[in-house]
Amino acid sequence: MKLNSLCSVIIIHLFVLQCLSVVCRSQDFDFFYFVQQWPGAYCDTKRSCCYPRTGKPAADFGIHGLWPNYKDGGYPSDCDPDARFDKSEISDLIPTMEKEWPTLSCPSNDGIKFWTHEWTKHGTCSESELDQRQYFEAAIALKRKANLLHALTDAGIKPNDEFYKMEEIRDAIKEGVGYTPGIECNVDQSGNSQIYQVYLCVDTSGSDFIECPLLPRARCGSSIQFPKF
Ligand code: 5GP
Ligand code: 5GP
């Protein structure tokens, strides 16, 4: 083989290896968003809501999901069609999930659909770190570590339909939980901006909060309502 062709072969090999490493890395992720939702805001949107079959959830934040994310703001989804949600792996966690991760979508249901969706869309993208059981256990443990309602009420911010400033809400959570949250608002039928979801960031092991490499866009008005539930 001539020197020129040998070089070409080596360059092609290096190129293929480089491409493979990018493909492999694209299955990975940089951090998690741990997202909790305020049920009063979910129900105040035009979509309205339905209580789960187990009854009206407590007036507390509930888990929405634990979402693998990239530092550039992108995120992987639906990473493993073979990893079907298996209820039998978490049957002992279900009473806790009904309390901490209640579903509010209609029609009224038992939550399996919501948890299946979160596992399939997001959980399957962190399988290198957490299997299905560990994924749900991690989310439950994070919810216990970050008591948002406690942090807010300690600062006098209560779910009483009053309006608060974004900075007050952010500072109260930073003070109570230790990390700066991302706040997402919804707009109710009267045009009020309401606190809807709170994002905290978590390291790739799913166990420790970190400062967010990137906060989601807030889309909140200057005055934010904390609606009753
Ligand atoms: P929405 O468009 O309502 O903000 O989000 C719809 C869905 O897209 C979310 O429930 C979630 O599954 C996914 N999603 C939205 N934003 C993000 C994000 O920043 N990171 C990740 N990992 N998922 C997101
Ligand atoms: P994501 O927005 O995470 O991609 O998708 C949320 C999906 O779960 C939607 O299809 C939504 O209808 C369903 N879902 C079921 N219960 C809830 C709930 O309590 N809150 C939210 N945000 N979505 C829920």
Side-chain angles (χ1 to χ4, degrees):
M1 199 183 281
K2 282 198 188 138
L3 191 58
N4 262 353
S5 344
L6 184 64
C7 282
S8 308
V9 169
I10 290 172
I11 287 168
I12 289 168
H13 268 97
L14 285 174
F15 181 72
V16 168
L17 279 176
Q18 175 78 19
C19 290
L20 272 177
S21 82
V22 168
V23 169
C24 294
R25 235 180 330 132
S26 73
Q27 288 302 306
D28 249 327
F29 62 103
D30 298 321
F31 67 96
F32 286 105
Y33 279 130
F34 176 57
V35 185
Q36 299 188 55
Q37 62 180 1
W38 179 250
Y42 184 96
C43 293
D44 269 0
T45 60
K46 292 183 186 75
R47 286 172 293 178
S48 87
C49 71
C50 293
Y51 297 153
R53 284 206 200 107
T54 41
K56 182 178 177 180
D60 190 10
F61 285 86
I63 300 169
H64 179 162
L66 182 61
W67 303 344
N69 227 80
Y70 300 125
K71 277 188 191 143
D72 67 5
Y75 59 90
S77 61
D78 298 295
C79 296
D80 183 0
D82 297 329
R84 296 268 167 97
F85 175 81
D86 179 358
K87 188 180 166 190
S88 71
E89 275 182 40
I90 56 156
S91 39
D92 58 316
L93 302 179
I94 285 180
T96 308
M97 309 241 303
E98 286 171 346
K99 280 203 199 99
E100 312 288 7
W101 202 328
T103 182
L104 289 165
S105 69
C106 297
S108 183
N109 67 96
D110 60 8
I112 296 290
K113 246 176 97 180
F114 189 23
W115 307 325
T116 302
H117 171 87
E118 292 301 312
W119 165 252
T120 309
K121 179 169 180 182
H122 300 284
T124 57
C125 300
S126 51
E127 276 183 300
S128 57
E129 299 291 332
L130 305 169
D131 63 23
Q132 187 200 286
R133 186 181 170 82
Q134 290 166 332
Y135 176 78
F136 287 103
E137 280 177 339
I140 292 165
L142 290 165
K143 164 87 167 56
R144 291 193 172 140
K145 268 197 203 177
N147 191 328
L148 298 178
L149 191 60
H150 199 248
L152 290 168
T153 50
D154 268 2
I157 301 171
K158 300 187 183 116
N160 52 6
D161 284 347
E162 293 292 314
F163 289 80
Y164 302 90
K165 298 240 160 324
M166 169 65 107
E167 297 72 48
E168 287 180 78
I169 294 175
R170 200 187 286 137
D171 291 353
I173 294 174
K174 166 117 198 178
E175 174 72 24
V177 175
Y179 295 88
T180 312
I183 311 288
E184 184 188 345
C185 294
N186 68 302
V187 178
D188 75 358
Q189 274 163 316
S190 321
N192 297 318
S193 184
Q194 302 180 314
I195 178 167
Y196 169 40
Q197 302 207 108
V198 177
Y199 292 61
L200 290 164
C201 291
V202 177
D203 70 352
T204 52
S205 75
S207 52
D208 294 310
F209 289 111
I210 54 171
E211 280 299 336
C212 282
L214 184 78
L215 285 168
R217 264 185 297 131
R219 288 177 289 180
C220 293
S222 55
S223 209
I224 303 171
Q225 189 183 38
F226 194 2
K228 285 186 185 147
F229 179 65

